[in-house]
Amino acid sequence: MADQWQNAMDHAVAIAQKAGEVVREALRGDRKVMTKSSSIDLVTQTDQKVEQLIIQSVKERFPAHRFIGEESVAAGEPCDLTDQPTWIIDPIDGTTNFVHAFPFVAVSIGFCVDKKVEFGVVYSCLEDKMFVARRGRGAFCNGEPLKVSDQEDIKRSIVVTEFGSNRDPDAVDRIFSSLRKIVCLPVHGVRSAGTAAINLCLVASGSVEAYYEIGIHVWDIAAGSLMVTEAGGVLLDVEGGDVDLMSRRIVAANNRAVAGQIFRQLDAFSPPRDDAL
Ligand code: IPD
């Protein structure tokens, strides 16, 4: 059966590729760094330029579609997810990596209808890996199907997490206490790529068993979350309920056994929701 969103998905892949070229080019030159909510919440002109490039090209092709973009929200646009077709864009996921030339940087484009992610595109620009997931039709990296790890024991797993940009002492204490419990289970290892989108693709690829974080935003995880479920994995809230993409909390794992062993270690907290921004 023909896919209703095939044209939109093809467009997302093409524009992510083009955005990746802009990011790679910018990495060869000077990067002017600005800050947003705090001195460690970074943004560059490239983030803004890439977001505009994506939004402009989608508007020309799909004028009725709506947008949630990281930099547009930072500039005061609402973060409203309605039932209308909506593109959720992180022009550079891993901005801090980009600023420091730490080589994991992604363009992330999720596409939602009726508040469900229909497709997700994550382009890992420096690895030149194009991850694409389509609801009900699988997840792929450079055309190769993705499948999560079949490990069921957290003690034989690698777990990915991030410190994010929240330096509120209570939040930092909870992040460290959760991490300590996970390290001491013990797990085989803990890693951070510095981009939520790539972390989710690592789960989808079977390279790690789980990723969790409190403090991410909907644009960091919209595309990558579908990558995980289409590769056979699961998503949960950090307290074990259903994931809510606006809640800024996620556990993504290869299966329910591992996800359960993760969320039970976490000292959960609730940052302000994205749709309350
Ligand atoms: C950030 C990255 C990082 C995660 C932060 C995100 P940005 O996104 O995904 O890995 O720890 O929570 O905000 O700001 O680089 O788009």
Side-chain angles (χ1 to χ4, degrees):
M1 195 169 67
D3 181 348
Q4 185 187 5
W5 302 117
Q6 186 68 48
N7 288 343
M9 191 163 74
D10 291 346
H11 192 75
V13 171
I15 195 68
Q17 186 88 49
K18 198 176 280 182
E21 283 161 25
V22 175
V23 171
R24 283 194 295 265
E25 180 60 34
L27 267 168
R28 287 191 276 272
D30 286 341
R31 296 176 292 287
K32 184 172 164 11
V33 183
M34 297 159 284
T35 58
K36 292 192 285 188
S37 61
S38 75
S39 64
I40 53 160
D41 184 8
L42 309 181
V43 62
T44 69
Q45 282 171 344
T46 311
D47 295 70
Q48 294 162 341
K49 180 176 165 186
V50 169
E51 182 159 319
Q52 276 320 306
L53 172 89
I54 297 172
I55 291 180
Q56 268 320 110
S57 91
V58 175
K59 267 188 182 162
E60 281 165 23
R61 188 76 191 279
F62 305 100
H65 291 186
R66 301 168 61 108
F67 301 91
I68 294 174
E70 175 172 18
E71 306 317 331
S72 309
V73 172
E77 294 286 325
C79 186
D80 283 342
L81 185 58
T82 66
D83 289 342
Q84 299 305 308
T86 303
W87 296 65
I88 303 182
I89 300 158
D90 190 342
I92 300 184
D93 188 46
T95 300
T96 306
N97 288 354
F98 172 73
V99 166
H100 292 269
F102 187 81
F104 297 98
V105 175
V107 176
S108 176
I109 303 176
F111 177 78
C112 289
V113 182
D114 292 335
K115 301 191 181 73
K116 284 201 197 98
V117 186
E118 286 294 336
F119 65 75
V121 172
V122 174
Y123 182 45
S124 179
C125 311
L126 301 177
E127 302 178 288
D128 192 21
K129 287 185 178 171
M130 183 67 76
F131 293 89
V132 181
R134 173 73 179 98
R135 171 174 294 281
R137 299 187 183 204
F140 303 85
C141 176
N142 292 349
E144 292 296 318
L146 298 178
K147 189 178 169 309
V148 293
S149 151
D150 57 12
Q151 181 57 251
E152 299 231 327
D153 185 353
I154 188 76
K155 294 182 181 169
R156 294 173 186 221
S157 298
I158 292 185
V159 176
V160 177
T161 191
E162 302 279 343
F163 295 104
S165 56
N166 189 344
R167 296 296 183 268
D168 167 67
D170 181 56
V172 172
D173 284 348
R174 286 170 186 271
I175 290 167
F176 273 94
S177 121
S178 303
L179 187 56
R180 186 182 190 290
K181 285 190 256 174
I182 285 179
V183 168
C184 292
L185 279 167
V187 292
H188 274 184
V190 174
R191 303 283 183 271
S192 295
T195 122
I198 291 181
N199 290 337
L200 289 161
C201 291
L202 288 168
V203 176
S205 306
S207 306
V208 305
E209 277 66 32
Y211 159 64
Y212 73 88
E213 187 170 351
I214 299 177
I216 30 77
H217 294 277
V218 62
W219 43 81
D220 300 315
I221 58 172
S225 62
L226 189 65
M227 222 65 70
V228 171
T229 51
E230 286 300 318
V234 299
L235 305 172
L236 287 182
D237 174 61
V238 295
E239 291 182 89
D242 291 340
V243 74
D244 170 350
L245 292 183
M246 288 287 171
S247 72
R248 305 185 58 198
R249 316 184 332 160
I250 193 167
V251 176
N254 57 333
N255 54 45
R256 281 205 164 261
V258 169
Q261 294 166 83
I262 298 275
F263 86 76
R264 280 191 277 277
Q265 311 304 319
L266 303 182
D267 286 337
F269 59 97
S270 300
R273 295 175 55 84
D274 278 332
D275 47 12
L277 288 177

